[in-house]
Amino acid sequence: MSAPIETYALLSDLETAAMVGRDGSVDWLCLPRFDSPACMAALVGNERNGFWRVAPRGGGGCDRRAYRPDTLVLESRWETATGAVRVVDFMPPRGGLPCLVRIVEGLAGEVAMRSELRLRFHQGRVVPWIRAVDRCAVAVAGPDAVWLGSDGPVEGASGGQGTVHDFTVAAGRRLALTLVWSPSHLPEPPAPLAVPAETLLKETADFWRRWAAQCRYEGPWRDAVVRSLITLKALTYAPTGGIVAAPTTSLPERVGGERNWDHRYCWLRDSTLTLSCLLRSGYREEATAWLDWLVRAIAGDPADLQAVYGVGGQRLLPETEAPWLSGYEGSRPVRFGNSAVKQFQLDVYGEVLDAFCLSLRAGIPMPAHVWDLVEAMMGHLLRHWREPDQGLWQVRGPGRQFVHSKVMAWVAADRALEMGALLGRNGSTGEWRAMRDAVHREVCREGWDAGQRSFVQSYGSRALDASALLMPRLGFLPARDERVRGTVRAMRRLRHGGFMRRYAPDGRGEFGSEGVFVSCSLWYADALAATGRLAEAREAFERVLGVRNDVGLLAQQWDPDAGRQLGNAPQAFSHLALVETAFTLDARSSGGARPRRTRAG
C-alpha cells in the first residue's frame, strides 16, 4: 500500500529533487536533473522499483519531523525502546554532481539502524551492477553511476537487490551516508564524497537561510509564505531559471484513475503568477532568470508556441507509459513526458504577454528583440483568437470556445497596447485595440449566462468554471461590476467541503471523484477579498493553510472526503497562489489594494 502523498517531504539541490517519507524512505529521485529517468521510483510502483531507507532497524514512521527554520534541511526523529535517533536529510545546492546526504545522530541510549539502498535505473526497472571501490559502493547501469559512501564504520553487503548497511548509534555519536551521481565513464569516486558531511550541512543551511532572509513579506502568514517561497526555489532548475510544476509524475488526480500526468516541466500558464510572486517577495534575480528562460523557450514562430517546455526550454517531451510500474495505489498508467506540447492553448499567449508587461513595469531590462516577438505573437493572435482550443485545464479531445482562453486573448492585446505605450511603439495599436474590444464584447455576450448570473466555462455551456474568478485580477472587469459579483456568488456551487472545485461538468454542481484544486480555493479567497468580503476571504485562505502537510507542502489537489492530498506534489501552482493571496489579503486589509486596470464593456 502506498504511503499517503502528504507524508512526503521535499529535498532539492536546485537541479533535481527527492521525496522522502515519514518512514525515512526516499521513494522518488531522478538523476541528475528533474526530468531525468528515475532511479528510485517506489512512489509510483513498489520497493522493487527503487528506494533508499535510513531508519531504525525495526522500521515504522518517525515520531516527529520538521525542516530547520527557513531551510530545506529535514530532521526526522524516532523514539525507540532502546533510545532516540535523528536523521538529517539534505541536498547541497552546490552545482555540478547531485548529492544526497543523510546524517544519523544518536540522541539517547543506543539505536540499531539500517540503511537499505535499492537503485533501479531507467524509470525504476534496470538493475545496476554494484561493486566496491575505495570503501564506497558504486552502482552502474548504462550512462549512470551512483556512489554511496560513509564517514564511519558500517557492516553490510551489496548485491543484485541493493546495498544494506547495519550500524548502531549511541547518544552523542553520528554517522553520515552520502550518495552522489556521476557519469558512469568517470572511474574515480566523485569529489563530493571527500567533503565532510558537516561542511555540506553548514553550506546548505546557510544558503537557504540567506535566501529566505530576502523575503519582503512581513504579514501574519510569514511562516507559510516563506515555506512556499522556499518550495518554489527548490523547484527551480538553477542552470536555466526554469521552474517545474512539480518534481513528480503520475500521482493521480483520482486514486485508481487514469488522470496521471508528468509535471516535471515548465508551464507557460505559470508565467505571470511566477513573476508577480517573485517580484513582490523581493526575489528580483529569480524573476529575471525565469523571464530569461521564458524568452529563450518561446523563441521562434508564434504558431509553434507550446503550453509546456522542458527545464532547458526543450520542446520535444514525448509521452510514454511505463507498464512495469504499478502506479500510485494502482493508479495506472504511469506516464513520462507530456503530450500537452501538442495542444493549442490560446491562454498561453496572454500569459506570456502579461509576464512581459509586468517585467517592463518592474524595470527589468527587456532585450530589443522581445518587441519583435510581441508583434509576431499579436499578429498570430489577430488571425487565430476566434479558434477553439484545449483551455487552461488541458482538456484532451475536441477544442472548445473556453471563456478563460478568450479572456487571456483580451489580456494579450491589452498588455501589448500598454507595452507599446511604455516603449513608444504604436505601429499596430489600431488593430490591437480593435481586437481587444471585440474579444471583450464577445466574452460578455457569449460567455455570460443570465439565468445563473455568472460567466461560464465555454460558449453555449452552463458549466461553471473557477477560472472566471480571475477576471478582476486580470483587469477584464472591475471587482465592483455586478457580473463579477454575480460570478463570485454563483461559484459557491463549486464548493465542496469548504474548498473550490475547478468546474462543474453539468453546471449544477455534480461531480466525479476528483479532488478540489488548491489553486482554485485560493482564487476564490482572492475574489472574495476583491469584492469586499474580507472575513470570508481570510477564512477561505486559512482553510487552505490547514491542509498543508506537516512540513508545509501542498499538492495539486485536496480530497475533502478522504482528508488527503491528491495529484503531483509539491505543486508550484498551489504555492504560487498561496503567496499571491497572502499579499492580496494584506493589501486589502490595510487599504492598499493593488490597482486593477479595467476596460468595462
Side-chain angles (χ1 to χ4, degrees):
M1 186 68 177
S2 303
I5 292 169
E6 59 270 18
T7 62
Y8 286 93
L10 172 74
L11 306 174
S12 172
D13 64 355
L14 310 186
E15 295 190 28
T16 190
M19 300 293 286
V20 54
R22 292 186 63 89
D23 62 351
S25 182
V26 175
D27 290 340
W28 181 255
L29 179 61
C30 300
L31 294 173
R33 62 187 217 176
F34 291 108
D35 56 356
S36 296
C39 64
M40 299 180 197
L43 181 62
V44 288
N46 53 52
E47 290 190 347
R48 292 191 301 273
N49 303 117
F51 70 97
W52 183 20
R53 183 180 298 112
V54 176
R57 209 173 301 171
C62 64
D63 293 281
R64 59 183 179 272
R65 65 175 182 174
Y67 289 116
R68 289 187 180 179
D70 292 349
T71 76
L72 207 65
V73 176
L74 181 71
E75 295 186 346
S76 305
R77 177 174 175 138
W78 281 263
E79 305 279 351
T80 75
T82 60
V85 67
R86 177 169 55 216
V87 176
V88 182
D89 293 326
F90 61 97
M91 296 182 74
R94 312 176 93 225
L97 302 179
C99 175
L100 171 56
V101 183
R102 315 195 73 179
I103 301 176
V104 183
E105 301 175 338
L107 303 176
E110 289 188 345
V111 180
M113 299 290 294
R114 171 167 289 179
S115 165
E116 184 174 1
L117 173 64
R118 183 176 297 178
L119 291 160
R120 293 296 180 266
F121 293 101
H122 195 67
Q123 319 295 29
R125 68 171 175 173
V126 174
V127 179
W129 173 42
I130 304 174
R131 69 188 194 279
V133 178
D134 295 340
R135 297 181 59 197
C136 297
V138 56
V140 175
D144 302 296
V146 168
W147 298 72
L148 177 64
S150 69
D151 63 359
V154 294
E155 295 179 2
S158 297
Q161 291 302 307
T163 300
V164 177
H165 288 147
D166 289 325
F167 55 96
T168 299
V169 288
R173 302 299 296 271
R174 56 168 292 288
L175 183 138
L177 299 163
T178 302
L179 181 149
V180 185
W181 176 92
S182 73
S184 61
H185 64 272
L186 300 181
E188 300 297 325
L193 288 173
V195 181
E198 294 298 332
T199 299
L200 295 174
L201 176 58
K202 183 179 186 307
E203 289 177 354
T204 302
D206 288 349
F207 169 86
W208 286 109
R209 289 190 181 114
R210 285 194 304 269
W211 192 86
Q214 300 174 54
C215 177
R216 289 179 184 166
Y217 180 84
E218 297 294 343
W221 302 291
R222 180 175 169 83
D223 287 348
V225 167
V226 170
R227 179 51 54 195
S228 287
L229 288 167
I230 287 174
T231 302
L232 293 169
K233 178 68 171 175
L235 298 180
T236 301
Y237 184 64
T240 66
I243 301 176
V244 298
T248 58
T249 181
S250 301
L251 295 184
E253 297 177 9
R254 180 177 68 82
V255 173
E258 297 182 358
R259 297 183 62 82
N260 316 317
W261 315 118
D262 192 347
H263 281 183
R264 299 171 302 146
Y265 307 113
C266 309
W267 265 259
L268 296 194
R269 71 179 181 208
D270 301 351
S271 300
T272 306
L273 192 59
T274 301
L275 269 177
S276 175
C277 173
L278 292 172
L279 288 171
R280 296 176 89 180
S281 303
Y283 294 100
R284 188 181 181 89
E285 180 179 338
E286 283 75 11
T288 302
W290 168 253
L291 184 69
D292 289 345
W293 174 89
L294 178 64
V295 172
R296 292 192 305 272
I298 67 173
D301 189 336
D304 298 328
L305 194 67
Q306 297 180 179
V308 57
Y309 294 81
V311 293
Q314 65 268 37
R315 292 170 174 262
L316 296 178
L317 309 174
E319 185 175 300
T320 60
E321 297 181 1
W324 59 90
L325 293 171
S326 58
Y328 179 85
E329 292 192 16
S331 304
R332 304 178 74 174
V334 174
R335 294 182 173 93
F336 295 97
N338 201 302
S339 65
V341 296
K342 303 173 184 176
Q343 292 185 341
F344 173 51
Q345 291 181 225
L346 186 65
D347 60 302
V348 298
Y349 293 88
E351 289 288 357
V352 170
L353 291 178
D354 199 12
F356 286 170
C357 188
L358 176 61
S359 65
L360 191 61
R361 281 189 237 124
I364 296 176
M366 181 175 290
H369 70 271
V370 171
W371 181 253
D372 295 333
L373 184 57
V374 170
E375 290 188 311
M377 291 177 68
M378 283 305 303
H380 182 77
L381 271 181
L382 284 168
R383 297 187 299 273
H384 298 285
W385 73 266
R386 296 182 186 277
E387 296 176 9
D389 74 321
Q390 267 64 45
L392 171 68
W393 306 121
Q394 300 178 178
V395 175
R396 297 199 175 195
R400 288 184 248 165
Q401 300 287 0
F402 286 103
V403 169
H404 178 72
S405 296
K406 303 306 182 190
V407 169
M408 293 310 298
W410 177 91
V411 168
D414 181 73
R415 304 316 191 252
L417 286 165
E418 181 177 345
M419 292 172 68
L422 290 171
L423 295 171
R425 308 267 192 148
N426 300 310
S428 302
T429 54
E431 285 183 295
W432 297 354
R433 186 173 289 107
M435 174 193 149
R436 183 190 66 187
D437 296 344
V439 175
H440 202 285
R441 287 192 301 270
E442 182 177 290
V443 169
C444 291
R445 182 180 67 250
E446 303 294 338
W448 173 256
D449 185 320
Q452 298 186 88
R453 307 281 313 156
S454 175
F455 286 99
V456 290
Q457 184 179 65
S458 60
Y459 294 175
S461 167
R462 287 183 51 81
L464 299 177
D465 192 305
S467 61
L469 293 166
L470 296 172
M471 285 184 173
R473 176 191 285 184
L474 295 168
F476 185 82
L477 286 172
R480 64 180 179 275
D481 191 290
E482 275 305 313
R483 290 166 292 186
V484 170
R485 293 178 179 274
T487 298
V488 175
R489 286 192 294 268
M491 291 297 161
R492 287 178 295 189
R493 297 204 292 279
L494 294 183
R495 296 186 70 186
H496 178 61
F499 297 87
M500 185 67 57
R501 293 192 185 267
R502 55 178 174 167
Y503 54 76
D506 58 5
R508 297 191 300 272
E510 296 179 7
F511 306 91
S513 55
E514 178 183 88
V516 296
F517 268 59
V518 172
S519 55
C520 295
S521 297
L522 293 164
W523 297 347
Y524 186 56
D526 195 272
L528 287 171
T531 53
R533 297 157 63 180
L534 279 173
E536 292 176 76
R538 283 192 290 269
E539 181 183 353
F541 178 68
E542 290 178 350
R543 190 175 293 113
V544 171
L545 295 185
V547 302
R548 295 173 300 153
N549 74 354
D550 59 323
V551 291
L553 302 182
L554 288 164
Q556 181 187 45
Q557 298 184 28
W558 172 254
D559 183 345
D561 298 321
R564 61 178 299 181
Q565 294 187 5
L566 292 174
N568 285 303
Q571 188 79 13
F573 210 47
S574 299
H575 287 281
L576 285 166
L578 187 155
V579 174
E580 279 287 282
T581 302
F583 272 105
T584 296
L585 292 180
D586 276 3
R588 293 283 176 181
S589 298
S590 64
R594 124 185 114 185
R596 309 286 184 173
R597 295 168 300 103
T598 63
R599 276 73 170 180

